[in-house]
Amino acid sequence: MDILNDFASWSGLHANITKTEVYFGGVSPSIRAQILQATGFPEGHFPFRYLGIPLNSARNSVEVYDTLITKIQNSLLHWSNTFLSYAGRIQILNSVIFGLANFWCATALLPKTILKRINKICKDYFWNVEPGTRKLVFQSWKCICRPGEEGGFNIKELLSWNKALLAKWLWMLDHDSAGNWAQWNRAYTFPDSSIWQLSIKDRYPESLCSIIKVKDEILARTGSISTGTVFKALQGPAILPKHRVTATLAALRKLPTVDLLVSRGIVIINRCLYSQQIWQGLVLWMNLPTRSNALDTELNWMVQSRGRHHWKHQWRKSCLAAAIYHIWNERNGRIFSGHETQPATLVEQIKNVVKVRLLASTSQGLCIED
């Protein structure tokens, strides 16, 4: 208290008794009473919040994280009434929503149920799904969260991001010049051992226990306690896979086109035979006469029948839209991941998507046969 009063005498900053509390751990009742009398501060009780983060002497329960869920839902509710493109929604998720979750993810391992709830909220907002309803989507959330060079939208997947943020603290605990927090832990928490040999103990705070869990998972994957080996494993291989190099070059040139990939020596199919096989399979399914397979001709044919509301016209337009999307997705998969789907398999996938779409929009869709 003399130090606090001395600090207040020259800084003008006094401790506010109404906003200051004393928290005890392992202190006898007599000493506790003496401290409370000497300071004049009331005794605080766990759990309490510091900078919005719940602090507790034991592991936090799932209910403690309801505050985070509420903040995210309120933020999205504020933006739900604003018309935004998919690019705008991605910006909201990366800047606003994950800005709220980052602070929590950097303190401890969040329960998987909480992370799944947050991912569900973000996924519904991205696809504009109303609460309590379901909507057919054409891409999994795992694919949406991939990096841009792998065909995703650079949205952080919170389960992996939570571990990555804690791995940063693990790195700090392993380096001598990493700050006062790391030096204090090495001096008082594990003075006679390394962070790589540390095991979870009841007296450790939840944040340190979370770091140890991430450390154990890293060691289980690498099988080594060498810091160089471990962090090389975290950073990934020095030489990127060929499809990632191709995607990076295309992104730098801002021309992710077939011509650019061919000029780089990447062997891909630079013909439309695959698209023709897909469309011909769908034409047979729709019992249409032989088509030209030219995109302009097919689009003009769709425009001419755009005002017709018979279920067969809706069927044909849905087939064309689904074919364009799946062919585009298939080409991305071949370029960036080397994955190839046979035409007959892709035709069946398109059929299933169109059937579900028609069944959801009109009962007459039940008339469609395999």
Side-chain angles (χ1 to χ4, degrees), residues 97-169:
I97 305 308
F98 292 105
L100 295 172
N102 270 354
F103 194 39
W104 294 64
C105 288
T107 58
L109 280 174
L110 272 63
K112 290 185 178 181
T113 54
I114 297 299
L115 294 176
K116 289 180 180 179
R117 286 178 61 186
I118 297 176
N119 281 336
K120 177 67 166 54
I121 294 172
C122 296
K123 179 176 65 176
D124 290 347
Y125 174 76
F126 179 79
W127 291 112
N128 196 22
V129 179
E130 296 293 335
T133 62
R134 302 183 65 181
K135 183 178 181 179
L136 179 65
V137 298
F138 298 98
Q139 197 69 277
S140 67
W141 186 245
K142 183 178 180 180
C143 295
I144 295 295
C145 293
R146 288 176 179 172
E149 63 267 20
E150 296 181 4
F153 294 99
N154 289 318
I155 296 179
K156 297 180 180 66
E157 198 281 311
L158 288 180
L159 187 60
S160 301
W161 186 244
N162 190 187
K163 296 178 181 179
L165 293 177
L166 293 174
K168 179 191 70 172
W169 299 116

Side-chain angles (χ1 to χ4, degrees), residues 291 297-308 313:
R291 309 296 306 176
T297 303
E298 300 303 286
L299 290 178
N300 290 331
W301 169 60
M302 290 295 176
V303 169
Q304 294 175 1
S305 61
R306 68 184 185 275
R308 304 173 185 177
H313 298 289

Side-chain angles (χ1 to χ4, degrees), residues 74-264:
N74 291 339
S75 298
L76 291 181
L77 182 62
H78 173 75
W79 287 99
S80 61
N81 296 327
T82 305
F83 178 77
L84 294 174
S85 62
Y86 283 114
R89 292 176 182 271
I90 292 172
Q91 185 66 25
I92 293 297
L93 292 176
N94 279 330
S95 59
V96 178
I97 305 308
F98 292 105
L100 295 172
N102 270 354
F103 194 39
W104 294 64
C105 288
T107 58
L109 280 174
L110 272 63
K112 290 185 178 181
T113 54
I114 297 299
L115 294 176
K116 289 180 180 179
R117 286 178 61 186
I118 297 176
N119 281 336
K120 177 67 166 54
I121 294 172
C122 296
K123 179 176 65 176
D124 290 347
Y125 174 76
F126 179 79
W127 291 112
N128 196 22
V129 179
E130 296 293 335
T133 62
R134 302 183 65 181
K135 183 178 181 179
L136 179 65
V137 298
F138 298 98
Q139 197 69 277
S140 67
W141 186 245
K142 183 178 180 180
C143 295
I144 295 295
C145 293
R146 288 176 179 172
E149 63 267 20
E150 296 181 4
F153 294 99
N154 289 318
I155 296 179
K156 297 180 180 66
E157 198 281 311
L158 288 180
L159 187 60
S160 301
W161 186 244
N162 190 187
K163 296 178 181 179
L165 293 177
L166 293 174
K168 179 191 70 172
W169 299 116
L170 176 63
W171 180 88
M172 293 179 66
L173 289 173
D174 190 57
H175 285 70
D176 295 334
S177 59
N180 294 333
W181 172 81
Q183 294 179 13
W184 185 91
N185 273 283
R186 286 196 297 270
Y188 294 98
T189 306
F190 48 94
D192 301 325
S193 62
S194 168
I195 180 62
W196 300 104
Q197 285 84 35
L198 205 63
S199 300
I200 296 178
K201 297 181 180 179
D202 293 337
R203 63 183 179 87
Y204 289 163
E206 184 178 1
S207 57
L208 183 58
C209 291
S210 298
I211 296 173
I212 295 175
K213 290 179 181 179
V214 172
K215 179 263 299 182
D216 293 338
E217 182 176 345
I218 293 175
L219 293 181
R221 292 187 179 185
T222 60
S224 171
I225 60 173
S226 169
T227 57
T229 303
V230 169
F231 287 106
K232 283 182 181 178
L234 284 175
Q235 294 169 359
I239 301 177
L240 293 175
K242 186 175 181 180
H243 70 275
R244 292 191 63 183
V245 175
T246 304
T248 303
L249 293 174
L252 292 176
R253 289 284 299 276
K254 297 182 180 180
L255 289 173
T257 61
V258 171
D259 294 335
L260 175 60
L261 297 175
V262 172
S263 68
R264 292 286 182 179

